[in-house]
Amino acid sequence: MTTSSVKSARPGDKGSAGTAADPKPARRRNRRARPDRKAWLFLGPFLAVYLFAMIIPVFYAIYQSMLKVERSGPLGLGSPEVVFGGLDNYAIALQQDAFLEGFGRVLLFGIVQVPVMLLLALVLALLLDQISDRWAGLMRATYFLPYGIPGVIATILWGFLYVPGISPITEMLGDLGFQPDFLGPDNVLWSIANIVIWEFAGYNMLIIVAQLKSIPEELYEAARIDGAGPWQIALRVKIPLVRPALVLTCVFSIIGTMQLFAEPLVLKKIAPAVTPDYTPNLSAYFDAFSNANIYVAAAKSVILAVVAMVLSFGFLSLVTRKQRSER
């Protein structure tokens, strides 16, 4: 037997040749690469709800924003007809000074309220991370409780605390010589900010606490060995490592600020300073349900969505660029 015949008779070479010639393993790999039908079966209900509750309404709002009503006949008293209006509704919305002032108002609201709320949430999360597990659950539930109260109910509760003659806060401050007007033109925006902070600080705190719990204990031990105290650990270990949670809560807060609606709508009954155009969302609501102009309201909603998207993605890109420069 020659050397070449011995090599060809080796089991390994035979198996390798058989594997290269046999297409079954390739078929198995392709079968594994394909999504399992059972996975799509579980994802189907969610995708259907997401499609009908999120995607289709967005495109329908864009479609409605490009329609308008035209009336025929003398003096426009004929039957109304819905026609394609292009960008006319957007031009009408952007020419309304009150609508643009609402954007300026919520931007000022966000510049002040978002940092204060996130700072409070961060401080609460750091305090919860320091106390013993025996009391952490109770304190966490206490701080989170306001988030479980609907915004309308929370605004009604705080409304009683803002009205002079009913509120114990105004009565106590009056005894001290102060006469605060929480619902006046100069203060009502910050009264709304107080309600929003009270509602959502606990929710943001839980997100930060979850990030704190994921930090390995070895990092704390190494910091203590290096001589770091509680303040140094908080400033140099905990806060830098919870940056992703802070970015996430900040994005949520920016979007929520642009959607400010329930609080001014409820306070409008007792605060004359809150006008129908106080926020962009409120302006779209009154156009749709009080003025019966759903097409302009749809245009305002699309503008609001675009502004919220630009602000949130702009903030994310700014943070991402800063992180890359630090590396």
Side-chain angles (χ1 to χ4, degrees):
M1 183 181 292
T2 62
T3 305
S4 59
S5 63
V6 171
K7 289 182 178 179
S8 63
R10 288 179 182 173
D13 292 341
K14 183 179 179 181
S16 301
T19 303
D22 189 3
K24 290 183 180 179
R27 284 200 205 116
R28 290 195 199 100
R29 283 195 298 271
N30 292 336
R31 199 179 301 122
R32 290 192 195 115
R34 274 183 263 159
D36 194 352
R37 293 180 181 178
K38 294 180 181 178
W40 287 110
L41 184 64
F42 283 103
L43 284 172
F46 165 76
L47 293 176
V49 173
Y50 185 78
L51 177 66
F52 286 101
M54 294 292 293
I55 303 300
I56 292 179
V58 168
F59 284 98
Y60 186 64
I62 296 173
Y63 166 73
Q64 281 195 317
S65 69
M66 295 184 179
L67 302 177
K68 66 179 182 179
V69 176
E70 284 187 353
R71 295 181 179 272
S72 58
L75 301 177
L77 298 177
S79 59
E81 182 182 2
V82 178
V83 298
F84 180 76
L87 301 178
D88 292 348
N89 292 325
Y90 293 94
I92 293 172
L94 294 175
Q95 288 172 1
Q96 295 180 0
D97 293 336
F99 179 63
L100 298 179
E101 289 174 2
F103 273 106
R105 195 174 290 114
V106 295
L107 288 175
L108 176 63
F109 176 89
I111 290 172
V112 176
Q113 179 263 338
V114 171
V116 172
M117 179 175 61
L118 294 185
L119 178 62
L120 178 60
L122 178 62
V123 171
L124 292 176
L126 293 174
L127 290 175
L128 280 177
D129 196 53
Q130 285 294 113
I131 64 177
S132 62
D133 294 337
R134 179 180 179 182
W135 298 102
L138 177 62
M139 299 303 294
R140 193 181 301 120
T142 303
Y143 295 144
F144 183 74
L145 183 61
Y147 179 72
I149 300 175
V152 173
I153 304 301
T155 308
I156 292 173
L157 293 175
W158 277 99
F160 283 109
L161 297 177
Y162 290 151
V163 175
I166 300 176
S167 169
I169 297 177
T170 57
E171 184 177 352
M172 180 181 65
L173 292 176
D175 294 338
L176 296 175
F178 299 99
Q179 298 296 330
D181 185 9
F182 294 115
L183 301 176
D186 297 330
N187 299 324
V188 66
L189 184 65
W190 312 120
S191 299
I192 295 172
N194 175 66
I195 298 173
V196 174
I197 291 172
W198 183 79
E199 285 182 282
F200 293 99
Y203 171 78
N204 294 320
M205 175 207 68
L206 281 187
I207 297 177
I208 299 172
V209 166
Q211 185 78 48
L212 283 172
K213 295 300 181 184
S214 66
I215 298 176
E217 191 66 28
E218 292 80 5
L219 293 178
Y220 299 147
E221 293 294 335
R224 293 188 190 100
I225 292 172
D226 290 338
W231 282 102
Q232 291 177 322
I233 291 176
L235 293 175
R236 299 185 180 183
V237 178
K238 293 183 179 181
I239 293 179
L241 291 178
V242 298
R243 182 182 295 181
L246 290 174
V247 171
L248 178 65
T249 53
C250 189
V251 171
F252 287 166
S253 300
I254 291 172
I255 297 173
T257 297
M258 300 307 300
Q259 295 177 348
L260 187 64
F261 174 72
E263 292 80 8
L265 179 65
V266 175
L267 287 182
K268 185 178 180 299
K269 304 294 183 181
I270 57 176
V274 180
T275 61
D277 298 303
Y278 197 73
T279 67
N281 211 349
L282 204 62
S283 178
Y285 171 81
F286 275 100
D287 266 336
F289 298 103
S290 295
N291 302 330
N293 198 343
I294 60 173
Y295 305 118
V296 174
K300 290 183 177 181
S301 301
V302 173
I303 293 172
L304 178 60
V306 170
V307 172
M309 182 181 66
V310 169
L311 289 176
S312 57
F313 278 99
F315 173 76
L316 282 175
S317 62
L318 180 65
V319 171
T320 304
R321 192 181 301 116
K322 186 177 180 180
Q323 289 177 349
R324 288 176 181 172
S325 63
E326 290 176 354
R327 291 174 186 172

